[in-house]
Every structure is written in structure tokens, then in C-alpha cells.
Amino acid sequence: MHDPPPAKPQAAVFFYGWVILLVAILAQILTAPGQTVGISEFKDIYGERLQLTSRTVALYYCYGTALGSFALPLFGFLIDRMGCRFSLILVSFLLGITCLFCGVVSSPLQMLLAFTFLRMLGQGALSLVASTLVSLWFKRKLALAYSVMSVGSGTGMMFIPYIFKPLFSSFELAFSFQVIALGIFLLIPLGWWLVIDRPGRIGLSQDGDPREDNDEPIQDPSSEMGQAEEIPEGESGAECSTDPARSQFHPDDFTFAEAISTRAFWIVTLAQSAWALIGTGLVFNRKSIFGALNAADFLVDLAVPGLFGAVIIGQILTGAAAKHFRHATLFASGSLGMAVACGLILLKTPVAAFAGFMTFGFAQGIFVIMGQSLWADFYGRSHIGKIRGLVWMIVILASSLGGFALTLGETATSRFAPIEYSMAVMGLLSCGCLFIRKPTKGPSKPLAMDPARKG
């Protein structure tokens, strides 16, 4: 699975990272079977087939999401160890097999397994591989690349209901999932033919800059058998390796243990988790929210497409603003936007609630771009798979609670209480996000001297 470098990579007409970006966009769109927008189109079929109430199906969905999230640190380790190309092929194969299994579900236990693996592989692992691949190919243009990826995948996701709904309503469940699995399996040859793990494989750095042959080498103390490995300055050690399975790093990059010991890691993870929990709860309970306000049906139908449109606008503007504003400012703005969205819903009028969902979509666009680009910028790329794997596990665990945490209360006085609490939490987090600072490492410790060479 080694990629032969071209004869003259510096003479390339365009930067190959844009091809990588297109593959990442397609991979993100094909996470749809594991996303709420996709599962919502067939979960009622499971309820009818298994004679379960919608609330029971939702409970299984919650359990499956939580269980699936625990495997994400393992996939993060796999990405660091084996590379994105291998991981993309493996995850695509497993997700396709899962879809085939979803078509023959005949018991509650099988439904739980289906939800678990759909969420683990679709929402979790495939999304993690795609976003990590982009972060390995872009550096200065990373925010722009993530904006393009998010806009492209978000636009694709807007059409998922219009594909899944007629598919599941017109054909048997098994055949419908076979069609979906076929689409996912297409990622396997695309990954094999088009994906190159890192730009260093073809003599480039991130963003398409030529590699300098006379860069000052540095030593990697983690090399096998204690032997020092030469790694060009300015490159991640993993980029320079011709074997993705070897553990190499740039000394300025944070290890997994160093990253999770920083204040920024936990502030950002907490902010993303709160956004995921509240956002999932709002979308999951949107019909109940608009129903309690006696909203017209067309507002309910427009809520999700309008939200996706607002997400795209938020992503475009955030990608442009990322060059001029600090991470702290943008994360605080996103958290404040979430608080404003909840506040609009608490005005308890249909139009205000619709405006709240649009505001939530805009704030989500900020979180998506900043949450993807921050990790490589703050902690480097050598251990980004493991770092983002843990973050994504925590975020998905939080999202699994959203549907129930934001269920409207039974009485008039408690009905909107969960949204009131959400507004307060996001308001406090907007203040906490102002303390986000890019962490710095102390000077590297010298290599330990071999005891046999002392004296």
C-alpha cells in the first residue's frame, strides 16, 4: 500500500490535497446512515417491525450511540498507527457490512447492535478519518479546507432525506440498505486509488509547499531500539516516514498525555460536548417544540433544511474569519450564539422558535469549523488521531443524552425548563471560552544517556 512518488512533484499543475478534500467530502456525506438525519428515516420502520413504541426505539438509539462512542479512541490509534488510507478502506468496508446487517434486523438486540455500529462507524469513525485526513494535508489553509469540506458535505446532507425517504417507502428494508451499502463500498476503490496518507509521500508539505532537501534534521527519541531518526525541520515525523505504522513525531507536537493535561483541551471539549448535547436535543425534539407553540406545519418542515442552510453560512463566514480572530473569540461567539438560540425559543412564538433554530445552525457552523481545525493547530499532527478520537468519544457520548435531556416537561411551568438550563449553560461557557489559549511546550528533554556509556 505504498504510494510511489511522482518524478517531479514540484511541477504539479495543482495541489493534490484538493483531490484528498473531494474524497473527504464524499466520505462525510456517506456517514449519513449513521447520522440522525439518516436514521430518522428508517427508525419508525424498526418500531413497526418489532412492535416497539417510538420512545423505546429512541432509547435503543441512545444506548447504541453511547456504546459506539467508546470505540473511537481505538480508531484514533488506528489512524495514527496505520494511516488514513488503510483506515478509510477498513471503516468503509465495516460500515457497508453494517448496512447489510441493518436490512435484516429482526429483534430488539439486533436493532441495538445496528444502532451501535452505525453510530460507531458512520457518525464516528468515518467522519474522524475524513477530517483527520484533511488536517494532514493542509496547514495554513486548514480553516479554508474545513470550510469547503463542511459546506460540501452539508449540502450533500440536505438531500439525504429526499433520497432515503422514497427509498425506504418504496422498497423493502433489505433492498434499501443494499443500495446504501453499495454506495459506501465505492469508497474502498476510491480510497485505494486516490488517497495518499500525507503530502510528504509525494515530496510536498501541507498546502502544497515543496519539501526542502536541505532542512536541518532533528532527532526523534521515540525511534525503535533507541536509534535516532532524522526528520526534516517543519515536518511532522509521521509525514516523513515511509511506513505509517512507525511511531514518529515532531518534537513541537504534543503527545496524547501532554495534550489532555492542558487547560485548552478540556475547555474546548466541554464546549463541544455541550453544543452536541443541546443541538441533538433541539433537533430530536423539534416537533414537540413547534407543537407546543402551535406552529404551522410548513415551519416544522422548513426547520431542518433551514438549519442546514444556516450551518453552511456559519461555516463560510467562520472559515474567512478564522484568519483574523483568535480561537477563544470564535468559540465564545459560537457558545453565545447557542445561548441566543435557546433564548429565542423561550420567547414561545413560532416565528421566534424558527429564528432560534436558524441561530443554532449558524452557531453550529462556528463550532464545526473551529472544532475541526483547532486540534492540529494547538497540538500538532503526530498524535492527532488519538487526541481527536478521545474528543469525539466524549462529544458523541454527550450527544447521546441530548434527546432525553431536552425532552419538554409535562406541565406548563416545566415544559421549557430544559431549554432554560441550556441557555444558562451556554452563556457561562461563552465566558469560559475566552480563556482558551494555545498551549506551549517546554524545552525538549535531552535523550537519556545509555548507562553502559557512563564514565
Side-chain angles (χ1 to χ4, degrees), residues 42-61:
F42 60 82
K43 63 182 179 65
D44 291 337
I45 300 177
Y46 279 165
E48 295 173 3
R49 173 180 286 194
L50 304 177
Q51 297 183 340
L52 300 173
T53 65
S54 58
R55 185 169 181 82
T56 301
V57 174
L59 187 61
Y60 276 91
Y61 177 64

mmCIF file with all atom_site columns, all heavy atoms in Angstrom, residues 42-61:
data_model
loop_
_atom_site.group_PDB
_atom_site.id
_atom_site.type_symbol
_atom_site.label_atom_id
_atom_site.label_alt_id
_atom_site.label_comp_id
_atom_site.label_asym_id
_atom_site.label_entity_id
_atom_site.label_seq_id
_atom_site.pdbx_PDB_ins_code
_atom_site.Cartn_x
_atom_site.Cartn_y
_atom_site.Cartn_z
_atom_site.occupancy
_atom_site.B_iso_or_equiv
_atom_site.pdbx_formal_charge
_atom_site.auth_seq_id
_atom_site.auth_comp_id
_atom_site.auth_asym_id
_atom_site.auth_atom_id
_atom_site.pdbx_PDB_model_num
ATOM 1   N N   . PHE A 1 42 ? -35.558 5.708  8.906  1.00 0.00 ? 42 PHE A N   1
ATOM 2   C CA  . PHE A 1 42 ? -35.935 4.284  8.965  1.00 0.00 ? 42 PHE A CA  1
ATOM 3   C C   . PHE A 1 42 ? -36.179 3.773  10.378 1.00 0.00 ? 42 PHE A C   1
ATOM 4   O O   . PHE A 1 42 ? -36.565 2.611  10.564 1.00 0.00 ? 42 PHE A O   1
ATOM 5   C CB  . PHE A 1 42 ? -34.877 3.410  8.273  1.00 0.00 ? 42 PHE A CB  1
ATOM 6   C CG  . PHE A 1 42 ? -33.499 3.480  8.860  1.00 0.00 ? 42 PHE A CG  1
ATOM 7   C CD1 . PHE A 1 42 ? -33.150 2.725  9.976  1.00 0.00 ? 42 PHE A CD1 1
ATOM 8   C CD2 . PHE A 1 42 ? -32.533 4.282  8.285  1.00 0.00 ? 42 PHE A CD2 1
ATOM 9   C CE1 . PHE A 1 42 ? -31.877 2.779  10.505 1.00 0.00 ? 42 PHE A CE1 1
ATOM 10  C CE2 . PHE A 1 42 ? -31.249 4.355  8.818  1.00 0.00 ? 42 PHE A CE2 1
ATOM 11  C CZ  . PHE A 1 42 ? -30.917 3.595  9.922  1.00 0.00 ? 42 PHE A CZ  1
ATOM 12  N N   . LYS A 1 43 ? -36.005 4.601  11.404 1.00 0.00 ? 43 LYS A N   1
ATOM 13  C CA  . LYS A 1 43 ? -36.194 4.113  12.769 1.00 0.00 ? 43 LYS A CA  1
ATOM 14  C C   . LYS A 1 43 ? -37.648 3.734  13.029 1.00 0.00 ? 43 LYS A C   1
ATOM 15  O O   . LYS A 1 43 ? -37.925 2.789  13.788 1.00 0.00 ? 43 LYS A O   1
ATOM 16  C CB  . LYS A 1 43 ? -35.732 5.155  13.782 1.00 0.00 ? 43 LYS A CB  1
ATOM 17  C CG  . LYS A 1 43 ? -36.488 6.462  13.790 1.00 0.00 ? 43 LYS A CG  1
ATOM 18  C CD  . LYS A 1 43 ? -35.910 7.424  14.803 1.00 0.00 ? 43 LYS A CD  1
ATOM 19  C CE  . LYS A 1 43 ? -36.638 8.758  14.805 1.00 0.00 ? 43 LYS A CE  1
ATOM 20  N NZ  . LYS A 1 43 ? -38.054 8.634  15.243 1.00 0.00 ? 43 LYS A NZ  1
ATOM 21  N N   . ASP A 1 44 ? -38.596 4.430  12.409 1.00 0.00 ? 44 ASP A N   1
ATOM 22  C CA  . ASP A 1 44 ? -40.005 4.084  12.595 1.00 0.00 ? 44 ASP A CA  1
ATOM 23  C C   . ASP A 1 44 ? -40.328 2.732  11.969 1.00 0.00 ? 44 ASP A C   1
ATOM 24  O O   . ASP A 1 44 ? -41.218 2.020  12.450 1.00 0.00 ? 44 ASP A O   1
ATOM 25  C CB  . ASP A 1 44 ? -40.900 5.164  11.999 1.00 0.00 ? 44 ASP A CB  1
ATOM 26  C CG  . ASP A 1 44 ? -40.833 6.468  12.787 1.00 0.00 ? 44 ASP A CG  1
ATOM 27  O OD1 . ASP A 1 44 ? -40.461 6.407  13.982 1.00 0.00 ? 44 ASP A OD1 1
ATOM 28  O OD2 . ASP A 1 44 ? -41.132 7.533  12.218 1.00 0.00 ? 44 ASP A OD2 1
ATOM 29  N N   . ILE A 1 45 ? -39.621 2.376  10.908 1.00 0.00 ? 45 ILE A N   1
ATOM 30  C CA  . ILE A 1 45 ? -39.810 1.050  10.300 1.00 0.00 ? 45 ILE A CA  1
ATOM 31  C C   . ILE A 1 45 ? -39.406 -0.028 11.284 1.00 0.00 ? 45 ILE A C   1
ATOM 32  O O   . ILE A 1 45 ? -40.067 -1.078 11.400 1.00 0.00 ? 45 ILE A O   1
ATOM 33  C CB  . ILE A 1 45 ? -39.003 0.940  8.990  1.00 0.00 ? 45 ILE A CB  1
ATOM 34  C CG1 . ILE A 1 45 ? -39.462 2.004  7.996  1.00 0.00 ? 45 ILE A CG1 1
ATOM 35  C CG2 . ILE A 1 45 ? -39.134 -0.455 8.393  1.00 0.00 ? 45 ILE A CG2 1
ATOM 36  C CD1 . ILE A 1 45 ? -38.660 2.020  6.706  1.00 0.00 ? 45 ILE A CD1 1
ATOM 37  N N   . TYR A 1 46 ? -38.300 0.198  12.003 1.00 0.00 ? 46 TYR A N   1
ATOM 38  C CA  . TYR A 1 46 ? -37.898 -0.747 13.046 1.00 0.00 ? 46 TYR A CA  1
ATOM 39  C C   . TYR A 1 46 ? -38.984 -0.854 14.120 1.00 0.00 ? 46 TYR A C   1
ATOM 40  O O   . TYR A 1 46 ? -39.287 -1.953 14.607 1.00 0.00 ? 46 TYR A O   1
ATOM 41  C CB  . TYR A 1 46 ? -36.586 -0.286 13.687 1.00 0.00 ? 46 TYR A CB  1
ATOM 42  C CG  . TYR A 1 46 ? -35.339 -0.632 12.908 1.00 0.00 ? 46 TYR A CG  1
ATOM 43  C CD1 . TYR A 1 46 ? -34.130 -0.015 13.192 1.00 0.00 ? 46 TYR A CD1 1
ATOM 44  C CD2 . TYR A 1 46 ? -35.362 -1.575 11.883 1.00 0.00 ? 46 TYR A CD2 1
ATOM 45  C CE1 . TYR A 1 46 ? -32.978 -0.323 12.491 1.00 0.00 ? 46 TYR A CE1 1
ATOM 46  C CE2 . TYR A 1 46 ? -34.226 -1.884 11.167 1.00 0.00 ? 46 TYR A CE2 1
ATOM 47  C CZ  . TYR A 1 46 ? -33.026 -1.261 11.476 1.00 0.00 ? 46 TYR A CZ  1
ATOM 48  O OH  . TYR A 1 46 ? -31.883 -1.571 10.772 1.00 0.00 ? 46 TYR A OH  1
ATOM 49  N N   . GLY A 1 47 ? -39.552 0.296  14.523 1.00 0.00 ? 47 GLY A N   1
ATOM 50  C CA  . GLY A 1 47 ? -40.596 0.270  15.537 1.00 0.00 ? 47 GLY A CA  1
ATOM 51  C C   . GLY A 1 47 ? -41.791 -0.556 15.106 1.00 0.00 ? 47 GLY A C   1
ATOM 52  O O   . GLY A 1 47 ? -42.332 -1.353 15.894 1.00 0.00 ? 47 GLY A O   1
ATOM 53  N N   . GLU A 1 48 ? -42.225 -0.393 13.851 1.00 0.00 ? 48 GLU A N   1
ATOM 54  C CA  . GLU A 1 48 ? -43.360 -1.165 13.345 1.00 0.00 ? 48 GLU A CA  1
ATOM 55  C C   . GLU A 1 48 ? -43.012 -2.642 13.211 1.00 0.00 ? 48 GLU A C   1
ATOM 56  O O   . GLU A 1 48 ? -43.821 -3.520 13.571 1.00 0.00 ? 48 GLU A O   1
ATOM 57  C CB  . GLU A 1 48 ? -43.788 -0.606 11.992 1.00 0.00 ? 48 GLU A CB  1
ATOM 58  C CG  . GLU A 1 48 ? -44.329 0.820  12.056 1.00 0.00 ? 48 GLU A CG  1
ATOM 59  C CD  . GLU A 1 48 ? -44.590 1.396  10.692 1.00 0.00 ? 48 GLU A CD  1
ATOM 60  O OE1 . GLU A 1 48 ? -44.393 0.650  9.680  1.00 0.00 ? 48 GLU A OE1 1
ATOM 61  O OE2 . GLU A 1 48 ? -44.975 2.572  10.595 1.00 0.00 ? 48 GLU A OE2 1
ATOM 62  N N   . ARG A 1 49 ? -41.817 -2.940 12.715 1.00 0.00 ? 49 ARG A N   1
ATOM 63  C CA  . ARG A 1 49 ? -41.425 -4.334 12.527 1.00 0.00 ? 49 ARG A CA  1
ATOM 64  C C   . ARG A 1 49 ? -41.315 -5.065 13.863 1.00 0.00 ? 49 ARG A C   1
ATOM 65  O O   . ARG A 1 49 ? -41.705 -6.242 13.967 1.00 0.00 ? 49 ARG A O   1
ATOM 66  C CB  . ARG A 1 49 ? -40.096 -4.399 11.768 1.00 0.00 ? 49 ARG A CB  1
ATOM 67  C CG  . ARG A 1 49 ? -39.503 -5.790 11.668 1.00 0.00 ? 49 ARG A CG  1
ATOM 68  C CD  . ARG A 1 49 ? -38.190 -5.820 10.911 1.00 0.00 ? 49 ARG A CD  1
ATOM 69  N NE  . ARG A 1 49 ? -38.363 -5.661 9.479  1.00 0.00 ? 49 ARG A NE  1
ATOM 70  C CZ  . ARG A 1 49 ? -37.408 -5.924 8.571  1.00 0.00 ? 49 ARG A CZ  1
ATOM 71  N NH1 . ARG A 1 49 ? -36.217 -6.345 8.980  1.00 0.00 ? 49 ARG A NH1 1
ATOM 72  N NH2 . ARG A 1 49 ? -37.636 -5.760 7.293  1.00 0.00 ? 49 ARG A NH2 1
ATOM 73  N N   . LEU A 1 50 ? -40.777 -4.396 14.881 1.00 0.00 ? 50 LEU A N   1
ATOM 74  C CA  . LEU A 1 50 ? -40.538 -5.038 16.175 1.00 0.00 ? 50 LEU A CA  1
ATOM 75  C C   . LEU A 1 50 ? -41.632 -4.729 17.186 1.00 0.00 ? 50 LEU A C   1
ATOM 76  O O   . LEU A 1 50 ? -41.527 -5.159 18.349 1.00 0.00 ? 50 LEU A O   1
ATOM 77  C CB  . LEU A 1 50 ? -39.180 -4.588 16.732 1.00 0.00 ? 50 LEU A CB  1
ATOM 78  C CG  . LEU A 1 50 ? -37.972 -4.832 15.825 1.00 0.00 ? 50 LEU A CG  1
ATOM 79  C CD1 . LEU A 1 50 ? -36.704 -4.272 16.453 1.00 0.00 ? 50 LEU A CD1 1
ATOM 80  C CD2 . LEU A 1 50 ? -37.810 -6.316 15.531 1.00 0.00 ? 50 LEU A CD2 1
ATOM 81  N N   . GLN A 1 51 ? -42.664 -3.976 16.760 1.00 0.00 ? 51 GLN A N   1
ATOM 82  C CA  . GLN A 1 51 ? -43.788 -3.608 17.628 1.00 0.00 ? 51 GLN A CA  1
ATOM 83  C C   . GLN A 1 51 ? -43.295 -2.895 18.891 1.00 0.00 ? 51 GLN A C   1
ATOM 84  O O   . GLN A 1 51 ? -43.638 -3.257 20.018 1.00 0.00 ? 51 GLN A O   1
ATOM 85  C CB  . GLN A 1 51 ? -44.616 -4.855 17.984 1.00 0.00 ? 51 GLN A CB  1
ATOM 86  C CG  . GLN A 1 51 ? -45.266 -5.512 16.783 1.00 0.00 ? 51 GLN A CG  1
ATOM 87  C CD  . GLN A 1 51 ? -46.134 -6.706 17.144 1.00 0.00 ? 51 GLN A CD  1
ATOM 88  O OE1 . GLN A 1 51 ? -45.989 -7.288 18.220 1.00 0.00 ? 51 GLN A OE1 1
ATOM 89  N NE2 . GLN A 1 51 ? -47.043 -7.078 16.258 1.00 0.00 ? 51 GLN A NE2 1
ATOM 90  N N   . LEU A 1 52 ? -42.491 -1.870 18.671 1.00 0.00 ? 52 LEU A N   1
ATOM 91  C CA  . LEU A 1 52 ? -41.953 -1.065 19.757 1.00 0.00 ? 52 LEU A CA  1
ATOM 92  C C   . LEU A 1 52 ? -42.445 0.371  19.617 1.00 0.00 ? 52 LEU A C   1
ATOM 93  O O   . LEU A 1 52 ? -42.673 0.847  18.503 1.00 0.00 ? 52 LEU A O   1
ATOM 94  C CB  . LEU A 1 52 ? -40.414 -1.076 19.742 1.00 0.00 ? 52 LEU A CB  1
ATOM 95  C CG  . LEU A 1 52 ? -39.732 -2.436 19.891 1.00 0.00 ? 52 LEU A CG  1
ATOM 96  C CD1 . LEU A 1 52 ? -38.228 -2.291 19.671 1.00 0.00 ? 52 LEU A CD1 1
ATOM 97  C CD2 . LEU A 1 52 ? -40.017 -3.041 21.257 1.00 0.00 ? 52 LEU A CD2 1
ATOM 98  N N   . THR A 1 53 ? -42.601 1.050  20.743 1.00 0.00 ? 53 THR A N   1
ATOM 99  C CA  . THR A 1 53 ? -43.004 2.452  20.692 1.00 0.00 ? 53 THR A CA  1
ATOM 100 C C   . THR A 1 53 ? -41.839 3.313  20.210 1.00 0.00 ? 53 THR A C   1
ATOM 101 O O   . THR A 1 53 ? -40.671 2.901  20.274 1.00 0.00 ? 53 THR A O   1
ATOM 102 C CB  . THR A 1 53 ? -43.437 2.944  22.082 1.00 0.00 ? 53 THR A CB  1
ATOM 103 O OG1 . THR A 1 53 ? -42.307 2.911  22.970 1.00 0.00 ? 53 THR A OG1 1
ATOM 104 C CG2 . THR A 1 53 ? -44.550 2.066  22.642 1.00 0.00 ? 53 THR A CG2 1
ATOM 105 N N   . SER A 1 54 ? -42.154 4.501  19.733 1.00 0.00 ? 54 SER A N   1
ATOM 106 C CA  . SER A 1 54 ? -41.104 5.398  19.243 1.00 0.00 ? 54 SER A CA  1
ATOM 107 C C   . SER A 1 54 ? -40.144 5.775  20.369 1.00 0.00 ? 54 SER A C   1
ATOM 108 O O   . SER A 1 54 ? -38.945 5.952  20.128 1.00 0.00 ? 54 SER A O   1
ATOM 109 C CB  . SER A 1 54 ? -41.730 6.650  18.635 1.00 0.00 ? 54 SER A CB  1
ATOM 110 O OG  . SER A 1 54 ? -42.529 7.323  19.590 1.00 0.00 ? 54 SER A OG  1
ATOM 111 N N   . ARG A 1 55 ? -40.653 5.893  21.601 1.00 0.00 ? 55 ARG A N   1
ATOM 112 C CA  . ARG A 1 55 ? -39.786 6.236  22.722 1.00 0.00 ? 55 ARG A CA  1
ATOM 113 C C   . ARG A 1 55 ? -38.813 5.095  23.031 1.00 0.00 ? 55 ARG A C   1
ATOM 114 O O   . ARG A 1 55 ? -37.653 5.330  23.371 1.00 0.00 ? 55 ARG A O   1
ATOM 115 C CB  . ARG A 1 55 ? -40.614 6.566  23.956 1.00 0.00 ? 55 ARG A CB  1
ATOM 116 C CG  . ARG A 1 55 ? -39.771 7.063  25.128 1.00 0.00 ? 55 ARG A CG  1
ATOM 117 C CD  . ARG A 1 55 ? -40.629 7.618  26.235 1.00 0.00 ? 55 ARG A CD  1
ATOM 118 N NE  . ARG A 1 55 ? -39.819 8.103  27.343 1.00 0.00 ? 55 ARG A NE  1
ATOM 119 C CZ  . ARG A 1 55 ? -39.235 9.285  27.394 1.00 0.00 ? 55 ARG A CZ  1
ATOM 120 N NH1 . ARG A 1 55 ? -39.363 10.112 26.366 1.00 0.00 ? 55 ARG A NH1 1
ATOM 121 N NH2 . ARG A 1 55 ? -38.512 9.656  28.433 1.00 0.00 ? 55 ARG A NH2 1
ATOM 122 N N   . THR A 1 56 ? -39.287 3.858  22.886 1.00 0.00 ? 56 THR A N   1
ATOM 123 C CA  . THR A 1 56 ? -38.399 2.706  23.122 1.00 0.00 ? 56 THR A CA  1
ATOM 124 C C   . THR A 1 56 ? -37.308 2.648  22.060 1.00 0.00 ? 56 THR A C   1
ATOM 125 O O   . THR A 1 56 ? -36.136 2.400  22.367 1.00 0.00 ? 56 THR A O   1
ATOM 126 C CB  . THR A 1 56 ? -39.209 1.398  23.119 1.00 0.00 ? 56 THR A CB  1
ATOM 127 O OG1 . THR A 1 56 ? -40.210 1.466  24.137 1.00 0.00 ? 56 THR A OG1 1
ATOM 128 C CG2 . THR A 1 56 ? -38.301 0.207  23.386 1.00 0.00 ? 56 THR A CG2 1
ATOM 129 N N   . VAL A 1 57 ? -37.670 2.906  20.809 1.00 0.00 ? 57 VAL A N   1
ATOM 130 C CA  . VAL A 1 57 ? -36.673 2.930  19.743 1.00 0.00 ? 57 VAL A CA  1
ATOM 131 C C   . VAL A 1 57 ? -35.654 4.034  20.003 1.00 0.00 ? 57 VAL A C   1
ATOM 132 O O   . VAL A 1 57 ? -34.443 3.846  19.829 1.00 0.00 ? 57 VAL A O   1
ATOM 133 C CB  . VAL A 1 57 ? -37.353 3.135  18.371 1.00 0.00 ? 57 VAL A CB  1
ATOM 134 C CG1 . VAL A 1 57 ? -36.314 3.316  17.273 1.00 0.00 ? 57 VAL A CG1 1
ATOM 135 C CG2 . VAL A 1 57 ? -38.249 1.951  18.040 1.00 0.00 ? 57 VAL A CG2 1
ATOM 136 N N   . ALA A 1 58 ? -36.142 5.185  20.465 1.00 0.00 ? 58 ALA A N   1
ATOM 137 C CA  . ALA A 1 58 ? -35.235 6.292  20.780 1.00 0.00 ? 58 ALA A CA  1
ATOM 138 C C   . ALA A 1 58 ? -34.285 5.919  21.915 1.00 0.00 ? 58 ALA A C   1
ATOM 139 O O   . ALA A 1 58 ? -33.119 6.323  21.924 1.00 0.00 ? 58 ALA A O   1
ATOM 140 C CB  . ALA A 1 58 ? -36.037 7.534  21.155 1.00 0.00 ? 58 ALA A CB  1
ATOM 141 N N   . LEU A 1 59 ? -34.771 5.142  22.873 1.00 0.00 ? 59 LEU A N   1
ATOM 142 C CA  . LEU A 1 59 ? -33.924 4.712  23.985 1.00 0.00 ? 59 LEU A CA  1
ATOM 143 C C   . LEU A 1 59 ? -32.822 3.775  23.489 1.00 0.00 ? 59 LEU A C   1
ATOM 144 O O   . LEU A 1 59 ? -31.654 3.899  23.882 1.00 0.00 ? 59 LEU A O   1
ATOM 145 C CB  . LEU A 1 59 ? -34.769 4.012  25.045 1.00 0.00 ? 59 LEU A CB  1
ATOM 146 C CG  . LEU A 1 59 ? -34.069 3.653  26.360 1.00 0.00 ? 59 LEU A CG  1
ATOM 147 C CD1 . LEU A 1 59 ? -33.563 4.924  27.049 1.00 0.00 ? 59 LEU A CD1 1
ATOM 148 C CD2 . LEU A 1 59 ? -35.006 2.886  27.278 1.00 0.00 ? 59 LEU A CD2 1
ATOM 149 N N   . TYR A 1 60 ? -33.170 2.849  22.598 1.00 0.00 ? 60 TYR A N   1
ATOM 150 C CA  . TYR A 1 60 ? -32.161 1.974  21.996 1.00 0.00 ? 60 TYR A CA  1
ATOM 151 C C   . TYR A 1 60 ? -31.152 2.791  21.189 1.00 0.00 ? 60 TYR A C   1
ATOM 152 O O   . TYR A 1 60 ? -29.953 2.490  21.173 1.00 0.00 ? 60 TYR A O   1
ATOM 153 C CB  . TYR A 1 60 ? -32.828 0.926  21.098 1.00 0.00 ? 60 TYR A CB  1
ATOM 154 C CG  . TYR A 1 60 ? -33.326 -0.289 21.830 1.00 0.00 ? 60 TYR A CG  1
ATOM 155 C CD1 . TYR A 1 60 ? -34.625 -0.353 22.329 1.00 0.00 ? 60 TYR A CD1 1
ATOM 156 C CD2 . TYR A 1 60 ? -32.501 -1.394 22.016 1.00 0.00 ? 60 TYR A CD2 1
ATOM 157 C CE1 . TYR A 1 60 ? -35.082 -1.474 23.006 1.00 0.00 ? 60 TYR A CE1 1
ATOM 158 C CE2 . TYR A 1 60 ? -32.945 -2.521 22.681 1.00 0.00 ? 60 TYR A CE2 1
ATOM 159 C CZ  . TYR A 1 60 ? -34.237 -2.552 23.180 1.00 0.00 ? 60 TYR A CZ  1
ATOM 160 O OH  . TYR A 1 60 ? -34.678 -3.665 23.851 1.00 0.00 ? 60 TYR A OH  1
ATOM 161 N N   . TYR A 1 61 ? -31.645 3.824  20.519 1.00 0.00 ? 61 TYR A N   1
ATOM 162 C CA  . TYR A 1 61 ? -30.768 4.697  19.745 1.00 0.00 ? 61 TYR A CA  1
ATOM 163 C C   . TYR A 1 61 ? -29.778 5.414  20.668 1.00 0.00 ? 61 TYR A C   1
ATOM 164 O O   . TYR A 1 61 ? -28.597 5.538  20.346 1.00 0.00 ? 61 TYR A O   1
ATOM 165 C CB  . TYR A 1 61 ? -31.636 5.707  18.990 1.00 0.00 ? 61 TYR A CB  1
ATOM 166 C CG  . TYR A 1 61 ? -30.884 6.742  18.199 1.00 0.00 ? 61 TYR A CG  1
ATOM 167 C CD1 . TYR A 1 61 ? -30.088 6.373  17.124 1.00 0.00 ? 61 TYR A CD1 1
ATOM 168 C CD2 . TYR A 1 61 ? -30.988 8.098  18.510 1.00 0.00 ? 61 TYR A CD2 1
ATOM 169 C CE1 . TYR A 1 61 ? -29.410 7.329  16.377 1.00 0.00 ? 61 TYR A CE1 1
ATOM 170 C CE2 . TYR A 1 61 ? -30.318 9.053  17.769 1.00 0.00 ? 61 TYR A CE2 1
ATOM 171 C CZ  . TYR A 1 61 ? -29.536 8.666  16.710 1.00 0.00 ? 61 TYR A CZ  1
ATOM 172 O OH  . TYR A 1 61 ? -28.867 9.598  15.980 1.00 0.00 ? 61 TYR A OH  1
#
